[in-house]
Amino acid sequence: MKKIFTISVLLFLFTSIATFGQSADIFSEIIEAEELTVQQAAYIPCSWLNPQSDLSFQDAFSFFCEKGWLDPNTPADEPISLKEFSGICMKTWNIPGGLMYKITKSNWYAFKELRAKGFLHSYDDPSMKVSGEKALDLIYQCMEYAENRGL
């Protein structure tokens, strides 16, 4: 399982670097982070939606604030919770959710939906802070899900 995860993350990284032309240093910083900040967590999903070669962490944070997916009053350098990150992933890859998610677009229901789809473990807590490794695993699963749906 660990070997499959490592291969998947490496494949994702090489694909992302080639596709988006982003610096390997930025991806290294994200992978190595024990707790991703809000702006770091927004970087790869923002690159998917708005690829540009000179994208910074702050640009990604601002982009999601403008879309209304992040609260602009949240400090950009604060660690992001799994619940908040789940909301970003659901919206970025347009993953359909259950009735309550469709009505509210709430991060809580995004977390519950990703856990129900098996993207998150049953022991994952919505308030836990997201590591770079965990974030890339979740992003990869969301990208694969969207690709399989033809998005």
Side-chain angles (χ1 to χ4, degrees):
M1 183 69 175
K2 180 103 170 139
K3 187 175 184 178
I4 292 171
F5 172 74
T6 303
I7 290 170
S8 297
V9 168
L10 289 174
L11 179 64
F12 169 74
L13 284 176
F14 291 130
T15 304
S16 297
I17 289 169
T19 304
F20 302 120
Q22 303 297 338
S23 168
D25 293 337
I26 291 174
F27 285 100
S28 293
E29 184 178 337
I30 289 171
I31 284 178
E32 293 169 3
E34 288 186 32
E35 290 184 344
L36 281 182
T37 64
V38 174
Q39 62 187 357
Q40 286 174 320
Y43 184 81
I44 295 174
C46 184
S47 295
W48 175 274
L49 293 173
N50 186 23
Q52 56 182 355
S53 60
D54 60 347
L55 184 70
S56 70
F57 290 140
Q58 185 58 44
D59 293 336
F61 176 74
S62 298
F63 179 80
F64 281 122
C65 288
E66 289 169 14
K67 290 185 85 53
W69 296 357
L70 286 173
D71 181 359
N73 297 321
T74 302
D77 58 351
E78 177 179 286
I80 192 164
S81 70
L82 185 54
K83 176 178 70 173
E84 293 168 314
F85 191 65
S86 296
I88 289 173
C89 289
M90 288 282 291
K91 292 171 184 120
T92 299
W93 285 281
N94 198 24
I95 297 173
L99 179 62
M100 290 306 292
Y101 178 75
K102 287 178 185 175
I103 293 170
T104 66
K105 296 292 186 195
S106 150
N107 291 338
W108 168 253
Y109 289 109
F111 168 80
K112 289 180 64 100
E113 187 64 35
L114 292 179
R115 190 164 60 184
K117 288 187 182 321
F119 295 1
L120 299 171
H121 299 287
S122 61
Y123 56 80
D124 284 333
D125 184 89
S127 63
M128 72 185 270
K129 302 307 176 198
V130 181
S131 70
E133 220 175 278
K134 178 99 175 154
L136 288 176
D137 181 44
L138 185 55
I139 286 170
Y140 176 77
Q141 290 182 69
C142 290
M143 288 172 72
E144 190 172 298
Y145 183 84
E147 190 174 302
N148 289 337
R149 289 182 50 231
L151 299 176

